[in-house]
Amino acid sequence: MARSTSMNRRTVLKGATLGAGSTVLLARHGRAAADKPQYGGTLRAAYQLAPGALDPVVGRSGGDAYYWRQFTDPLVDADPALNPRAATSLAESWDVSDPKSVTLKLRKGVVFHDGTPFDAAAVKFNIERLLDPATKATPRAAFGPVESVEALDEHLVRFRLKRPWGSVLGTLADRGGAMNSPAAVKALGADYAFKPVSTGPFKIAEYVSGSKVRFVRNEKYWGRDEAGNPLPYLDEIVMNIVPSETVQVSALKAGELDLVYLPYREVSNFLGSSAYNIQSFEGGAIACTLSFNWAKPPMDNVNLRLALATAINAEGINKAAFFGRAIVAKGGMWPTGAWAYDPTVPRPSYSITKAKEYLAAGGKPGGFEMDALFWPSETNTAFAEIIRAQCAAVGIKLNLKSAEVTVATEKFYYGGEAPMFITSWSRYPEPDWNASLIYRSDGYYNAGKVKNEKLDALVDEGAATVDIPRRKQIYRQVDEIVLGQALMVPMIYGVTYAAAQKTVMGVENVFGWDAKMYLHRMWLKKG
Amino acid sequence: MQRYILRRLAQLVPTLLLITMMVFALMHAIPGDPARMMVGAGDSLDEAQLAVVRREYNLDRPVPVQYAIWLGRALTGDLGRSSANQRRVGEELLLRASVTFELGLFAWLIAAAIAIPAGVIAAVHRGRMPDLVATLVAVGAVAMPGFWVGIMLILLFGVRLGWLPTQGYVPLGSNFGEGLRHMVLPAVALGITSAALMMRQMRSALLEVLSLDYIRTARAKGLAKWSVVIGHALRNAMLPVVTVMGLEVGRIFAGAVVIETLFGVPGMGRLMVQAVFQHDFTVVQGCVLVMASAVLAANFVTDIMYTVLDPRIRYGG
């Protein structure tokens, strides 16, 4: 079977240097790597939100990954640039060369935490479970191309496809690719949502409602490190639910926690201190983006969209709302570090003169007034206000309307209630997720459901193509249209910062491909 | 007395019904399709799945019918399952409510323990230094928002001095000492405003009583100053203070929503905040039921306390 790992050398290298924000960090990182991992200990980490559910398939909160990632392995894992990574995958190899099917060769000797063997029948059970509407599985739509699943033999499984599935590998790296024990699912019914049984390096020891999730080492774990030592190194992980970022940071300083992600306002204090291990991940999110309803006046006018996008000085937003610790977006909705990221595509950039020219071309030389929706948070409120002030400078008067995030999202994309939405976006390095959902005419996040035939054709071609260099070309063309017509214009790419006590080793591996915590490789230095 | 208690108890039922009905109506007044709101915005569930959600939570039926179904099940103790995480609301509430009661009781005791002596001292030393200091501190405490006090307490006692944990919760049952240590800062942050209000009430009530004739008589008999204050004045002055102390139960519950989030205490306040943001109707409804019951119970106990403290108060049947 041909193993399709069509990553190119450049993206691999780019992925490898991710997470090292500066040469200083690189030097630290190098020293840490020289140490021999020690076994044992409890790592105390923190995250803001309680899990929606612990079963990766039914949880609907993006933050659930902080939990399920620790006790699962994906069918096909991905590195931070979203190139497939067989070493940490449940499938040893895969064949995606046939547009009508995907075949996975499964790793042998893997068992679920309850002793149920992981085999082709288990994969079939899992995929059929998430395709059943009654499961209410979050990733069901992403598995839309799957017609049926067959177990060819004990360790060979084939997905029959309705249509070509270019994003298959990226999709299998996400929650739908995490495997649940069929025996436990059948035995527990609805209670399975909080008592999941999977294959990963840790298993759930207890969930204290609203307080913490405690994971313990899976003694039967299949994974090995590069030197052949069994994984994981830690005995336990406690993921504390600490809603306030301020309190997370003070708890780290007080020595009550070992590992947290830093809010932007704290980053400078920590980078200046040598008391902690710090790592960063560029492009961990789209921290600020302008989303337009292309059907709703005045944002149905391409020149007025361009006027607005060029009136905004992203550098100023970065300084004022992100303390200069994020990065100004140079490409589209596929951020730095994703293979689809392309900073050479022409895009609107800050220029008052240009903005005024676009206003004139759009028939509103004196400017115009419109509503803009946003959802309030410390950072979002700050950048929404800055954007309003910057727009006012060219005569565009924004009436900011705020609503809680779910309501605002639904109002804008489903209700069509405003011409513009100022928001942030998760890191979706698999380009088809954004392409199908934002740019395609029937995508949920295409607020005006505007049809652009060329864009639809490109999105479909990208979704059906497996070869990454070819897909890169397709998504470049997509970006040319999206940025050229200001359909959706990211302003700031986020940088995720992790801070850990000096005793925590392997912090350079803390970021999963979505920048969320991945604790499989952490260890604690004693003495 | 017995008849009075029974009548007051009977009055609680319609109040409770009205509150749950209002919350039910409010949750359904959120614009948009409740099933879509429940599963969250976006593309996460498709139409076939939404149909399952509608069936499961009876969203395809009229709101009054939904309320009747909810009420019927609630009477048998079944509060349904959370739409966000599938956990049983009843079990979840039992866990969370006990945490909030622990925190609330602790905060309330701290508040009373500070307020009553401080109020008495301020009244007795009216216009002099102790009164001024107590008044100043009380005005400050009322003006400071609980979450800010909380952050200051964390910085001082958690980070700077390292005496107390900054966040988290340890059940008193599993480790009493640790549980108490974790509870001190949130309870102080939660109780401080109530302490100030109770203290002000204590002071003015005591001043009023101290100016009455029977106190002058007691003094004239040659009784010691403190035995007049404690033995004769305090009991009568407690009446309005008890009212405030009862009302403060409601404030402490409201404050717990913020303080629990700040200190990472897994109580009902936080459960409710999260449920509101997730549009988890069943959980919000359950939380409101428990909180409303608790506040009503506190008011009920306050009423009963009146008759105990002041035998002159007798309620006709």
Side-chain angles (χ1 to χ4, degrees):
Chain A
M1 181 185 309
R3 187 161 129 203
S4 166
T5 49
S6 39
M7 51 178 144
N8 64 43
R9 197 163 186 82
R10 219 174 73 229
T11 51
V12 174
L13 287 175
K14 237 197 281 179
T17 53
L18 262 172
S22 70
T23 44
V24 181
L25 294 178
L26 265 179
R28 261 188 221 161
H29 166 168
R31 230 187 3 255
D35 290 328
K36 192 178 175 305
Q38 295 171 322
Y39 282 86
T42 300
L43 180 82
R44 300 159 305 168
Y47 179 58
Q48 276 173 279
L49 300 176
L54 288 170
D55 173 356
V57 171
V58 305
R60 282 190 294 271
S61 160
D64 294 347
Y66 285 77
Y67 303 95
W68 59 257
R69 188 153 287 147
Q70 319 316 336
F71 64 87
T72 63
D73 304 302
L75 275 176
V76 178
D77 202 4
D79 68 12
L82 211 82
N83 293 298
R85 184 169 66 187
T88 53
S89 304
L90 286 175
E92 279 176 351
S93 62
W94 43 85
D95 180 1
V96 289
S97 57
D98 173 12
K100 294 218 173 86
S101 75
V102 169
T103 311
L104 304 177
K105 182 162 191 264
L106 305 178
R107 199 173 285 283
K108 293 192 174 97
V110 177
V111 289
F112 289 100
H113 299 151
D114 62 355
T116 309
F118 167 75
D119 53 17
V123 175
K124 180 176 158 71
F125 173 86
N126 269 277
I127 305 302
E128 286 174 352
R129 172 176 180 246
L130 75 83
L131 288 176
D132 178 0
T135 309
K136 294 175 282 175
T138 306
R140 181 172 187 256
F143 283 76
V146 178
E147 171 89 63
S148 63
V149 185
E150 332 162 67
L152 299 179
D153 69 34
E154 206 185 336
H155 297 286
L156 203 60
V157 67
R158 176 173 293 162
F159 300 175
R160 292 238 163 255
L161 303 181
K162 295 176 212 163
R163 53 178 190 267
W165 193 13
S167 60
V168 54
L169 298 180
T171 303
L172 294 179
D174 204 354
R175 61 199 323 156
M179 292 290 108
N180 293 291
S181 159
V185 169
K186 284 175 201 156
L188 291 172
D191 288 332
Y192 186 81
F194 265 81
K195 294 174 181 161
V197 176
S198 189
T199 59
F202 297 93
K203 46 190 182 179
I204 294 170
E206 62 172 339
Y207 169 61
V208 184
S209 175
S211 177
K212 64 184 174 190
V213 182
R214 194 164 62 86
F215 304 96
V216 295
R217 172 213 298 276
N218 170 12
E219 299 289 351
K220 290 177 279 185
Y221 189 56
W222 58 269
R224 298 283 179 274
D225 67 12
E226 289 70 18
N229 301 310
L231 287 169
Y233 307 120
L234 293 169
D235 285 342
E236 278 191 13
I237 297 171
V238 177
M239 185 62 84
N240 293 284
I241 303 160
V242 184
S244 156
E245 287 181 318
T246 308
V247 175
Q248 285 188 14
V249 170
S250 54
L252 180 78
K253 286 182 179 164
E256 290 167 33
L257 291 174
D258 300 310
L259 171 71
V260 303
Y261 279 0
L262 295 175
Y264 285 105
R265 69 181 126 77
E266 293 283 353
V267 172
S268 301
N269 300 336
F270 275 83
L271 286 178
S273 150
S274 56
Y276 302 93
N277 284 331
I278 313 287
Q279 291 289 331
S280 62
F281 185 111
E282 291 191 352
I286 315 279
C288 169
T289 187
L290 310 180
S291 189
F292 299 109
N293 184 331
W294 323 325
K296 198 170 177 74
M299 290 295 100
D300 56 339
N301 181 326
V302 60
N303 282 307
L304 297 184
R305 287 200 300 269
L306 285 165
L308 206 150
T310 45
I312 292 166
N313 177 2
E315 196 55 61
I317 297 178
N318 189 18
K319 280 207 185 93
F322 297 93
F323 304 86
R325 292 296 171 186
I327 44 184
V328 168
K330 294 265 175 2
M333 292 297 287
W334 301 301
T336 328
W339 59 256
Y341 171 63
D342 190 342
T344 65
V345 177
R347 53 157 285 157
S349 59
Y350 175 57
S351 158
I352 298 273
T353 336
K354 271 261 180 69
K356 287 183 173 157
E357 283 170 27
Y358 283 128
L359 278 175
K364 303 267 185 196
F368 58 92
E369 182 176 348
M370 69 170 192
D371 288 349
L373 206 59
F374 78 102
W375 53 274
S377 76
E378 186 180 314
T379 315
N380 291 32
T381 309
F383 63 62
E385 290 292 349
I386 297 163
I387 287 170
R388 170 164 67 180
Q390 292 178 342
C391 284
V394 297
I396 301 171
K397 185 164 185 280
L398 295 182
N399 302 318
L400 292 181
K401 308 261 161 155
S402 77
E404 179 266 318
V405 55
T406 321
V407 177
T409 308
E410 191 79 348
K411 271 184 171 181
F412 183 78
Y413 294 106
Y414 192 71
E417 287 186 28
M420 177 185 179
F421 185 32
I422 307 168
T423 184
S424 54
W425 214 260
S426 296
R427 174 183 167 85
Y428 287 119
E430 162 49 50
D432 180 51
W433 296 337
N434 278 337
S436 291
L437 289 171
I438 313 173
Y439 307 143
R440 217 178 177 288
S441 46
D442 57 357
Y444 175 85
Y445 298 103
N446 181 337
K449 304 282 175 281
V450 174
K451 197 166 174 66
N452 178 325
E453 276 172 23
K454 190 164 173 218
L455 202 48
D456 277 1
L458 283 169
V459 170
D460 290 347
E461 194 188 346
T465 307
V466 170
D467 178 53
I468 291 186
R470 173 70 199 122
R471 293 186 81 197
K472 250 185 108 116
Q473 290 170 3
I474 297 166
Y475 291 115
R476 185 192 156 82
Q477 286 172 272
V478 169
D479 262 349
E480 280 168 359
I481 297 174
V482 168
L483 295 171
Q485 301 185 14
L487 297 178
M488 181 132 181
V489 188
M491 287 290 150
I492 301 286
Y493 293 151
V495 180
T496 309
Y497 294 87
Q501 306 287 0
K502 277 287 181 197
T503 47
V504 179
M505 296 291 125
V507 185
E508 64 278 8
N509 298 317
V510 75
F511 302 109
W513 53 260
D514 50 6
K516 289 163 190 163
M517 281 184 193
Y518 173 84
L519 305 174
H520 293 204
R521 294 292 187 106
M522 300 285 125
W523 58 277
L524 292 169
K525 199 171 177 168
K526 287 166 204 133
Chain B
M1 181 78 181
Q2 234 169 27
R3 276 187 68 186
Y4 170 68
I5 293 180
L6 283 176
R7 212 183 63 214
R8 287 288 288 117
L9 272 176
Q11 283 167 355
L12 295 181
V13 176
T15 317
L16 211 52
L17 269 180
L18 203 68
I19 292 170
T20 55
M21 214 184 283
M22 274 165 60
V23 173
F24 207 86
L26 269 181
M27 291 300 282
H28 287 267
I30 296 172
D33 175 353
R36 293 183 62 89
M37 291 318 266
M38 219 182 217
V39 301
D43 51 292
S44 58
L45 294 195
D46 57 31
E47 267 314 313
Q49 293 170 302
L50 284 173
V52 175
V53 173
R54 281 189 198 106
R55 241 191 347 267
E56 238 170 71
Y57 291 90
N58 297 306
L59 295 171
D60 44 0
R61 312 177 65 172
V63 175
V65 176
Q66 291 179 42
Y67 177 71
I69 294 175
W70 176 83
L71 192 65
R73 288 197 186 141
L75 287 175
T76 66
D78 175 12
L79 293 173
R81 275 181 193 267
S82 150
S83 65
N85 63 26
Q86 316 293 322
R87 287 166 72 86
R88 283 186 194 284
V89 176
E91 286 172 20
E92 186 87 358
L93 276 173
L94 214 59
L95 284 170
R96 300 300 198 95
S98 64
V99 175
T100 299
F101 280 126
E102 227 171 75
L103 175 63
L105 185 69
F106 205 29
W108 189 82
L109 286 176
I110 287 179
I114 297 173
I116 293 174
V120 170
I121 291 169
V124 171
H125 298 277
R126 178 184 193 179
R128 277 170 289 154
M129 203 39 117
D131 185 22
L132 289 177
V133 171
T135 304
L136 210 67
V137 172
V139 169
V142 172
M144 287 185 295
F147 69 89
W148 185 82
V149 174
I151 290 173
M152 292 302 123
L153 290 173
I154 288 172
L155 289 178
L156 181 63
F157 293 101
V159 180
R160 185 65 60 83
L161 298 172
W163 292 350
L164 291 167
T166 57
Q167 52 82 37
Y169 168 75
V170 175
L172 288 176
S174 79
N175 182 340
F176 191 77
E178 267 308 298
L180 218 54
R181 267 165 49 80
H182 278 82
M183 209 50 111
V184 172
L185 294 186
V188 169
L190 183 55
I192 194 134
T193 313
S194 299
L197 291 171
M198 288 181 198
M199 179 262 166
R200 298 298 296 158
Q201 192 65 48
M202 184 73 243
R203 178 183 175 274
S204 56
L206 192 57
L207 278 177
E208 202 184 312
V209 173
L210 284 175
S211 70
L212 294 179
D213 288 348
Y214 83 94
I215 297 294
R216 202 178 48 201
T217 310
R219 284 222 178 110
K221 279 197 303 185
L223 284 177
K225 179 179 170 190
W226 283 103
S227 105
V228 174
V229 172
I230 307 290
H232 291 72
L234 193 58
R235 179 162 166 165
N236 284 334
M238 278 309 280
L239 215 53
V241 178
V242 166
T243 312
V244 170
M245 286 169 74
L247 290 176
E248 287 306 302
V249 171
R251 172 200 294 279
I252 283 172
F253 268 115
V257 172
V258 175
I259 295 300
E260 285 177 357
T261 303
L262 182 66
F263 286 92
V265 177
M268 216 170 23
R270 249 180 80 199
L271 179 68
M272 183 145 101
V273 171
Q274 196 172 352
V276 168
F277 280 124
Q278 291 174 337
H279 305 271
D280 197 340
F281 299 158
T282 42
V283 173
V284 174
Q285 188 74 353
C287 287
V288 169
L289 182 68
V290 173
M291 286 191 182
S293 308
V295 172
L296 289 178
N299 287 349
F300 174 71
V301 172
T302 310
D303 282 359
I304 303 303
M305 280 299 287
Y306 284 165
T307 58
V308 176
L309 279 173
D310 187 349
R312 285 173 306 178
I313 299 179
R314 285 282 178 264
Y315 298 85

